[in-house]
Amino acid sequence: MTKTLKLQKILCRVDVVKQLQKDYNVTRVCVYNALAYRSNSELAKTIRRDALEKYDAVEVKMPTLV
């Protein structure tokens, strides 16, 4: 039996990811983990907030099979 979960994720353009890397002096992996809600540190929360407010990223709920 398969279940479907809706996971939160923030979608943005690649140039936004590069700018977030420069803003926070972190790796691309760090930014992608923050945007995919895989990390929940204060830095990750700040990256998500800036992506949504400053760079007009979009928060979506992606269906995922479990």
Side-chain angles (χ1 to χ4, degrees):
M1 180 176 173
T2 56
K3 292 183 181 181
T4 304
L5 293 176
K6 292 198 176 192
L7 301 177
Q8 266 182 306
K9 190 173 188 178
I10 296 175
L11 300 178
C12 61
R13 297 184 319 268
V14 174
D15 60 326
V16 171
V17 173
K18 289 180 182 178
Q19 187 59 46
L20 287 168
Q21 280 180 254
K22 286 181 185 176
D23 290 350
Y24 293 102
N25 196 27
V26 294
T27 64
R28 181 183 52 152
V29 174
C30 179
V31 174
Y32 278 115
N33 283 338
L35 296 177
Y37 288 88
R38 287 187 211 109
S39 62
N40 202 26
S41 64
E42 289 301 317
L43 177 61
K45 291 175 185 176
T46 307
I47 290 171
R48 287 192 290 267
R49 186 188 70 235
D50 278 357
L52 292 170
E53 294 174 1
K54 192 174 177 183
Y55 297 108
D56 298 326
V58 179
E59 189 169 20
V60 295
K61 294 202 178 219
M62 307 282 290
T64 304
L65 292 176
V66 179

